Amino acid sequence: MDSLLFLSARRLVAHRPLPAVPAQLYPILFQAAFLDGRPLVLQDLVAQWPFPVLNFQQIVGRRELFRDHPSKLCIQSVILAMVEQLQRDLEEPGCDSSPCHLRVLDMTGLQDDTAGRAPDGMSVWSGTVALAKACLEVSKHQREFQKRGSRSHKGRSSAAAAPRSVDVHADLFVNGTSYGILWDALQAGNAGPLRLKCREFQAEELCLAGIVSLLKSLDPSGVRRVDLRFNNLGLGGLSLVLPHLSRFPNLQSLRLPYSNIDVRRLTPESVQGIQCLARELGKLQSLRELNLGSSRLSGNLRHILCKLEAPLESLELAFCSLLPSDFAFLSQSFHALALKRLDLSGHDFSQTLLQPLQHLLEETSASLLHLDLMECHLMDSHLATLLVSLRRCSLLRSLGLFGNSFSIAGLKDLLWKTVVLPDLRLVVYPIPVDCYKPGLDPGWILEEQLDRECLGAVSAELGRMLESSGRADIIWTSNPYGHGALDYFSL
């Protein structure tokens, strides 16, 4: 329920111009104007912002609010107001009469994944482009002002104070289409009034030279995540990229899925590449999350992680062709005692890997919060072994089992034996084999073969079972995309 203060703020921002109000009311007015979609009011507020910092998430609230409200125009209006203020300051350097005291605009964490975003929301990519354009616009205005300065400001003292600058903290997403404008903006920001400070950097389908160039241009102090996916780097490319990551002292998360790493058949070149990868990972003193999804690592996990001096807390090894020896290494390593999130999706646990998995889960049971075992060839016959280990993971919050081959009876058994886990809140279960029409080829299950009435009945029955067991707080769903991707920084 909205507070009386927030309801009053909503009434106030419904009219423009705003009356003079105390400084302490600006945050609640900003929140009301943002959530009600009033971009012009937001411009007015930024133009007179009385504090040095404006943090979107702290003021507006949860990320869900950005997803469910028309945020694009509002975010653009804040960027525009900031640009206009800096341009005005360039025209009047050293002037202290401006009511705007903004020095840091924090826009991190605003955007959600495309699947959950409102049509008029702002994606990470479009937000990156908008900020890059703003940097270039301010930089261009600065150059034009300096060109005409010798003529129009001859009488002004050379000792006049420098114009105000603003640091913009943001999460940046770049691909081949936006590379040029972001690179230009980062170069301009080094000496300009508007500077981009990256918190999380994601590059997708970008050439090796482009990735290296951007990494070298980022301010190193605030970068906590680097996400390089679909870039086809291979071990050779990674050996050229990773040395540039050691300049980020606070880098906690490194995500390298779909990097075309395949070391199943070792060659002198791949051995050298593994050694380089291990050496560079060892230099990342703050690293706590590593994603090597869809790499072919068979038997080489030990050699890749051997130089790490601190344990990982999140490890994603989906579709990595791991062998029993890889599981043995993880079980015996210091990572096992620290892992909070583990993704082993895409491995065949129906045969030789089931016992190694059981042992690994027992070793991680004291810390594990999130476990993904999607598309792992698991069947009812494997549940007894799996449940012995799962029930020992007393802190487990979420369990992903989508894409396996359980029956309705197997799902019920899974439910009854996991409701005892006190912290469990989410289970993504596979569509039971009973809910597909008979006569299908298990390797080619099509959407048209799904009996939706049967699936609806199963979902309802599972809900009743949860309620009768006193665990209606647990979400059981067959939709692997409906609850947002888990993030290491929210663990």
Side-chain angles (χ1 to χ4, degrees):
M1 183 178 295
D2 293 332
S3 67
L4 181 60
L5 179 61
F6 180 73
L7 292 173
S8 300
R10 294 186 71 178
R11 291 289 300 273
L12 201 58
V13 299
H15 304 284
R16 188 172 181 257
L18 295 175
V21 296
Q24 59 267 31
L25 292 181
Y26 270 72
I28 192 69
L29 291 173
F30 187 98
Q31 182 186 54
F34 187 93
L35 297 181
D36 283 357
R38 302 191 181 278
L40 295 179
V41 174
L42 288 171
Q43 287 188 41
D44 295 342
L45 290 169
V46 172
Q48 302 185 67
W49 195 251
F51 308 109
V53 178
L54 196 167
N55 186 310
F56 266 83
Q57 276 206 301
Q58 285 184 3
I59 294 174
V60 178
R62 302 183 310 276
R63 293 183 71 181
E64 290 82 359
L65 295 176
F66 294 97
R67 182 187 64 198
D68 298 335
H69 288 78
S71 60
K72 187 172 185 177
L73 282 177
C74 291
I75 294 173
Q76 288 175 334
S77 70
V78 172
I79 297 173
L80 176 61
M82 176 184 62
V83 168
E84 290 177 345
Q85 285 300 309
L86 289 175
Q87 289 176 335
R88 188 173 296 115
D89 288 349
L90 285 169
E91 298 292 339
E92 296 293 335
C95 179
D96 296 327
S97 61
S98 173
C100 180
H101 295 138
L102 185 63
R103 295 295 183 274
V104 175
L105 177 63
D106 193 328
M107 301 181 67
T108 56
L110 295 189
Q111 301 87 0
D112 277 304
D113 295 335
T114 304
R117 196 174 60 243
D120 50 0
M122 179 170 275
S123 67
V124 184
W125 185 89
S126 59
T128 299
V129 172
L131 288 172
K133 288 181 177 178
C135 286
L136 293 176
E137 187 174 345
V138 174
S139 179
K140 178 182 177 182
H141 190 89
Q142 182 185 41
R143 291 194 304 272
E144 292 174 347
F145 172 76
Q146 290 171 342
K147 285 180 180 178
R148 66 176 189 267
S150 59
R151 297 190 301 271
S152 58
H153 298 281
K154 286 182 179 179
R156 180 162 294 169
S157 171
S158 60
R164 177 167 56 101
S165 62
V166 173
D167 290 341
V168 181
H169 297 250
D171 301 327
L172 304 178
F173 171 40
V174 60
N175 57 19
T177 306
S178 56
Y179 164 77
I181 191 170
L182 179 59
W183 189 87
D184 289 343
L186 290 171
Q187 305 311 306
N190 289 332
L194 186 57
R195 299 186 292 255
L196 281 179
K197 305 289 185 178
C198 179
R199 185 186 69 160
E200 298 186 6
F201 175 78
Q202 180 177 344
E204 188 172 297
E205 297 181 339
L206 202 60
C207 68
L208 174 61
I211 293 173
V212 170
S213 178
L214 289 175
L215 289 174
K216 291 168 66 175
S217 301
L218 296 176
D219 184 306
S221 60
V223 178
R224 70 178 190 179
R225 167 175 286 157
V226 170
D227 188 336
L228 308 175
R229 59 181 62 206
F230 301 113
N231 294 296
N232 199 33
L233 293 172
L235 276 176
L238 285 176
S239 67
L240 297 175
V241 169
L242 294 185
H244 297 282
L245 300 183
S246 58
R247 60 188 293 267
F248 302 130
N250 300 311
L251 184 67
Q252 299 177 59
S253 171
L254 177 59
R255 304 175 64 84
L256 302 170
Y258 311 105
S259 290
N260 191 24
I261 301 173
D262 190 342
V263 291
R264 288 174 293 182
R265 294 178 179 84
L266 290 177
T267 64
E269 292 77 14
S270 61
V271 169
Q272 187 176 5
I274 289 173
Q275 292 172 346
C276 177
L277 177 58
R279 183 173 60 251
E280 296 304 327
L281 290 177
K283 295 178 183 178
L284 306 178
Q285 299 296 311
S286 300
L287 189 67
R288 297 298 180 269
E289 177 180 52
L290 180 63
N291 182 339
L292 294 172
S294 295
S295 301
R296 303 295 189 261
L297 305 180
S298 306
N300 290 286
L301 191 61
R302 176 191 303 272
H303 306 299
I304 291 172
L305 303 184
C306 64
K307 298 293 185 180
L308 291 177
E309 297 182 3
L312 295 169
E313 297 178 354
S314 176
L315 183 58
E316 296 180 63
L317 298 170
F319 299 92
C320 281
S321 303
L322 298 182
L323 301 179
S325 59
D326 296 309
F327 284 87
F329 160 71
L330 270 184
S331 299
Q332 298 163 10
S333 71
F334 64 172
H335 305 293
L337 300 177
L339 281 173
K340 297 179 180 179
R341 181 184 181 191
L342 182 60
D343 187 349
L344 296 170
S345 299
H347 290 90
D348 187 350
F349 292 114
S350 65
Q351 299 178 28
T352 58
L353 291 181
L354 186 58
Q355 290 299 326
L357 171 65
Q358 183 181 27
H359 186 208
L360 176 58
L361 292 181
E362 290 170 357
E363 294 299 318
T364 61
S365 60
S367 60
L368 196 61
L369 305 178
H370 306 281
L371 175 64
D372 281 312
L373 299 173
M374 300 191 184
E375 300 183 29
C376 288
H377 302 272
L378 291 166
M379 304 172 66
D380 289 1
S381 57
H382 308 119
L383 271 176
T385 302
L386 183 62
L387 282 166
V388 170
S389 302
L390 285 179
R391 284 162 62 93
R392 296 184 60 175
C393 300
S394 58
L395 302 179
L396 196 65
R397 297 177 188 171
S398 73
L399 175 63
L401 292 168
F402 187 83
N404 291 294
S405 299
F406 297 150
S407 68
I408 295 174
L411 285 181
K412 291 180 181 179
D413 187 38
L414 177 68
L415 186 148
W416 285 128
K417 292 180 179 174
T418 55
V419 291
V420 298
L421 298 173
D423 293 335
L424 190 63
R425 293 295 181 270
L426 173 65
V427 176
V428 181
Y429 64 88
I431 296 173
V433 293
D434 317 56
C435 291
Y436 288 100
K437 297 171 185 177
L440 57 89
D441 178 353
W444 295 92
I445 294 178
L446 302 176
E447 187 73 16
E448 308 87 69
Q449 296 170 313
L450 175 63
D451 186 337
R452 294 197 171 277
E453 186 175 346
C454 175
L455 180 60
V458 170
S459 178
E461 185 172 5
L462 294 175
R464 289 191 294 269
M465 292 172 64
L466 289 170
E467 198 162 336
S468 67
S469 64
R471 292 305 309 271
D473 58 319
I474 305 179
I475 296 173
W476 269 62
T477 177
S478 60
N479 181 3
Y481 309 108
H483 296 274
L486 292 171
D487 187 81
Y488 166 71
F489 294 105
S490 64
L491 295 181

